[in-house]
Amino acid sequence: PSGGTIGGIFSYCHDNIKHSCGFRDRVRMRPRHHMIVLQRVMATMSDLHSYEPRNGHGLPHDPFNAIVGPRPIGWIATRSAAGALNLAPYSFFNAFNYTPPIVGFASIGYKDTVRNVEATGEFVWNLATLTLAEAMNQSCAAVPPEVSEFELAGLTPQPSTLVRPPRVAESPVAFECRCTRILQLEGADHTPVPTWLVLGEVVAVHIDKALLKDGVYDTAHAGHILRGGGPADYFTVGPEQLFRMYRPR
């Protein structure tokens, strides 16, 4: 149905009636047939919670984040033009290209991280693991730009090899990145929204050798944590979630 509107419901019912009956019934549709099909359609609709986001979701918490999840965490380290260190987690993060490797994160609001990347053109992604979960959570505190989240969370800034921002020494994996583009997102009507997408090419990778099994990165034993929905939901990745499926030849 079109957004659950009455017009949409009747249009949906009409289409289903046409496809649910034979040609003879389509020509001479009896009221009883209309009622039966309408009852079936309404029963199906009652099993769905449908809404248009622009009109609100009508639930205690927006389900969007929970549905598109769990998501890898963009734990991003930056350095301001003046040299101040910043570390912050972003729940909208992912990889976007193989060669060259490109990762990106979205910042809802023009925050210190985006400002620093725009000023210096560099950032470092750090893997958030279960053992670092509390420290990662501490680093998302709302503090002034001059306050280092490294110190706040008790983490060690490890100098990078190709970029100026440091990586988290305690994290087993880090990507040094150079910014390729910063985009302010827009709605379907092209109205700008206060969210910035930051993309960067990975120019250096650091992996704890203990996570390389016969030269293959062991995701199942790395302790990744991922962001779920709700105000506090996270997930872990372990061997019990692993299954293999190869592409058709």
Side-chain angles (χ1 to χ4, degrees):
S2 178
T5 63
I6 296 298
I9 290 172
F10 278 104
S11 175
Y12 181 79
C13 292
H14 181 262
D15 291 343
N16 275 270
I17 288 170
K18 290 196 300 182
H19 288 90
S20 299
C21 305
F23 177 78
R24 184 175 301 173
D25 284 333
R26 236 182 290 168
V27 174
R28 294 184 301 172
M29 185 68 67
R30 299 176 181 177
R32 182 172 61 86
H33 293 153
H34 279 279
M35 184 59 66
I36 291 173
V37 176
L38 180 60
Q39 288 173 344
R40 291 175 182 171
V41 172
M42 296 303 291
T44 301
M45 287 180 59
S46 67
D47 294 333
L48 295 175
H49 176 79
S50 302
Y51 65 94
E52 297 178 23
R54 63 180 178 176
N55 298 326
H57 48 74
L59 297 171
H61 192 274
D62 191 341
F64 177 77
N65 292 3
I67 296 169
V68 187
R71 303 178 302 282
I73 297 170
W75 203 11
I76 308 297
T78 59
R79 184 188 294 272
S80 72
L85 299 184
N86 181 273
L87 180 65
Y90 289 86
S91 68
F92 291 133
F93 167 85
N94 221 312
F96 292 93
N97 196 54
Y98 277 122
T99 306
I102 292 176
V103 296
F105 65 94
S107 174
I108 300 176
Y110 191 81
K111 299 176 181 176
D112 294 337
T113 301
V114 180
R115 184 179 296 106
N116 292 347
V117 175
E118 196 161 49
T120 67
E122 299 173 335
F123 64 93
V124 177
W125 170 81
N126 304 273
L127 175 65
T129 63
L130 188 58
T131 57
L132 293 171
E134 287 298 331
M136 181 276 299
N137 194 42
Q138 286 295 318
S139 69
C140 72
V143 295
E146 62 273 12
V147 176
S148 170
E149 288 84 0
F150 280 92
E151 294 182 11
L152 191 67
L155 297 167
T156 308
Q158 180 72 29
S160 296
T161 56
L162 298 180
V163 299
R164 286 163 289 181
R167 64 183 189 269
V168 175
E170 291 80 2
S171 176
V173 183
F175 294 164
E176 298 182 22
C177 305
R178 291 200 175 106
C179 180
T180 59
R181 182 166 295 188
I182 298 177
L183 300 171
Q184 183 175 4
L185 301 187
E186 298 179 347
D189 61 357
H190 303 294
T191 299
V193 298
T195 297
W196 281 262
L197 174 64
V198 179
L199 299 172
E201 179 181 346
V202 179
V203 295
V205 177
H206 307 281
I207 306 172
D208 186 332
K209 290 182 179 179
L211 297 179
L212 297 175
K213 307 298 183 184
D214 299 322
V216 178
Y217 180 75
D218 188 3
T219 306
H221 290 91
H224 292 226
I225 58 173
L226 306 101
R227 188 69 169 94
D233 291 356
Y234 288 83
F235 292 84
T236 59
V237 174
E240 59 274 13
Q241 283 86 39
L242 175 64
F243 72 96
R244 290 186 170 89
M245 184 167 54
Y246 297 97
R247 294 181 181 180
R249 293 184 178 275

